[in-house]
Amino acid sequence: MRTALALASLLLVSGCGATVAQDTSSANTPVTVTNCGQQVTFDKVPSKVVTNDTGITELMFALGLKDRMAGYVVDGADTADRRTSPWKADFDSAKHLSDKISKEVVQGANADFVFAGWNYGFSESSGFTPDALKQLGIATYQLTEACRNGVGKQRGIMPALDALYTDLRNLGKIFRVEAKAEELISGYQQQIDNAARLMTGKPQPKVFLYDSGQDQPFTSGRNAAPQDIISKAGGDNIFGDLNDSWTTVNWETVVQRNPDVILIVDYADGDFNTPEQKQAFLEGFAPLQNSPAIKNKRFYALPYAALVESPRNPASIEAFAKFLTSV
């Protein structure tokens, strides 16, 4: 059975636990960045940052900005994503504020800056929005992967890796660590270029990203991180034509598109979300039985934090490319 967990591969990320020198001479000079299509000005370097979700928090850690954080919000103080994080030491020493973000949590932390995203913390239904925080005097930065694109609540305004690089550069500017941001980006680009060579001249397998859902599958369109993880590794996302990030589709279309490989999101929470449970469901799902992925048991699993925008994305591409060379 060719099912694999790529946790070990994802530990090979540089910059773990780094402390980065900041340009304090301009700490109180306003800077302006473009975030989700809007010009946003920050009057000074934030010093009490609250982050929401694992990947977002890891962006701060990768830039060496743990000392600028009041704490982070992640569902569960001891998750598999945290335990396998290249920045585990930073998670362990930073403050876990809550399982769920709210105005009360960020006010209790005396936050002056919140880094989250739509469906990654920000939500109209909960009342936790950038506008609501602005009224409390708290600045916000929105994860670019989750930016709304102007079509209802669809998300994604640029390719996934461009979103990662955009956020690193913007955060570098806001926190005066631009040199560190460029160093990370250069390293990631080289890692991705090296991974791409592994599949040079080989057929491009069709890949179905399976997050969850039995009645209807939840998957990735072209604007979420799996799009670039799949394509840069040498595969073809069967839902890469959808102008959305994470979204629900139907099984009929999955069957029609006949995947060669199934990439599973590993939440590691035991609630019908382990890769083994998801694989067992897919192998027993009658309409998919004739697909090459099911016939040949071509399953691969990556952690949740590696499949949303995060500094784990380049290592994920490398790990998945190595798997695809055996397909």
Side-chain angles (χ1 to χ4, degrees):
M1 183 178 296
R2 296 203 332 223
T3 303
L5 300 181
L7 302 182
S9 301
L10 296 176
L11 295 175
L12 303 176
V13 182
S14 62
C16 307
T19 300
V20 178
Q22 299 172 26
D23 179 7
T24 56
S25 64
S26 60
N28 294 315
T29 303
V31 298
T32 300
V33 300
T34 301
N35 183 211
C36 292
Q38 301 294 319
Q39 295 288 298
V40 185
T41 298
F42 299 90
D43 294 332
K44 61 181 181 179
V45 176
S47 61
K48 290 187 176 294
V49 179
V50 172
T51 57
N52 183 75
D53 208 26
T54 310
I56 288 172
T57 304
E58 289 179 344
L59 285 169
M60 293 289 291
F61 292 158
L63 286 164
L65 296 172
K66 189 190 72 172
D67 64 325
R68 291 286 176 179
M69 293 175 58
Y72 62 91
V73 176
V74 171
D75 188 7
D78 185 29
T79 65
D81 274 339
R82 254 192 56 170
R83 290 194 302 273
T84 62
S85 174
W87 298 273
K88 183 180 184 300
D90 286 333
F91 274 112
D92 290 345
S93 58
K95 187 172 183 180
H96 177 245
L97 297 171
S98 177
D99 289 353
K100 185 175 177 60
I101 201 163
S102 67
K103 287 183 281 190
E104 292 75 21
V105 168
V106 300
Q107 285 180 299
N110 197 26
D112 61 1
F113 182 99
V114 171
F115 182 13
W118 291 107
N119 287 18
Y120 294 84
F122 293 136
S123 166
E124 287 96 350
S125 62
S126 68
F128 190 81
T129 66
D131 286 343
L133 292 174
K134 185 177 181 179
Q135 293 175 14
L136 298 174
I138 301 172
T140 57
Y141 184 85
Q142 299 178 45
L143 185 75
T144 298
E145 181 190 39
C147 292
R148 299 229 173 115
N149 61 25
V151 183
K153 292 187 177 181
Q154 288 183 2
R155 295 173 295 161
I157 59 173
M158 63 181 69
L161 288 173
D162 288 351
L164 173 64
Y165 302 151
T166 294
D167 286 337
L168 287 169
R169 288 193 170 106
N170 282 347
L171 293 167
K173 188 173 182 180
I174 293 165
F175 290 94
R176 315 308 198 265
V177 290
E178 292 171 272
K180 180 60 178 178
E182 292 302 328
E183 177 191 331
L184 289 173
I185 291 167
S186 177
Y188 295 157
Q189 290 173 332
Q190 185 61 58
Q191 186 175 19
I192 291 164
D193 287 345
N194 291 341
R197 296 190 186 99
L198 296 174
M199 285 291 286
T200 300
K202 297 179 181 294
Q204 190 178 46
K206 293 181 294 181
V207 180
F208 168 46
L209 184 285
Y210 181 56
D211 176 283
S212 57
Q214 295 191 13
D215 293 335
Q216 290 183 297
F218 195 62
T219 189
S220 166
R222 70 169 179 253
N223 300 328
Q227 170 65 22
D228 274 353
I229 290 170
I230 292 168
S231 62
K232 298 296 185 182
D236 176 23
N237 177 13
I238 65 170
F239 288 106
D241 59 331
L242 296 182
N243 185 28
D244 204 346
S245 59
W246 296 88
T247 188
T248 298
V249 294
N250 60 67
W251 285 115
E252 290 78 9
T253 308
V254 176
V255 172
Q256 289 168 4
R257 297 186 179 188
N258 204 31
D260 299 303
V261 174
I262 297 175
L263 176 58
I264 293 174
V265 182
D266 179 10
Y267 286 95
D269 61 9
D271 183 20
F272 196 74
N273 271 320
T274 68
E276 294 79 12
Q277 289 168 317
K278 291 178 181 179
Q279 179 173 334
F281 163 70
L282 293 166
E283 289 183 319
F285 186 60
L288 273 178
Q289 296 310 296
N290 290 324
S291 70
I294 300 297
K295 284 183 175 180
N296 298 301
K297 296 186 182 295
R298 290 172 178 158
F299 297 89
Y300 194 74
L302 285 168
Y304 163 78
L307 288 165
V308 295
E309 183 195 323
S310 83
R312 298 198 209 190
N313 295 156
S316 304
I317 292 168
E318 183 177 42
F320 193 45
K322 288 177 179 177
F323 173 77
L324 291 182
T325 60
S326 67
V327 169

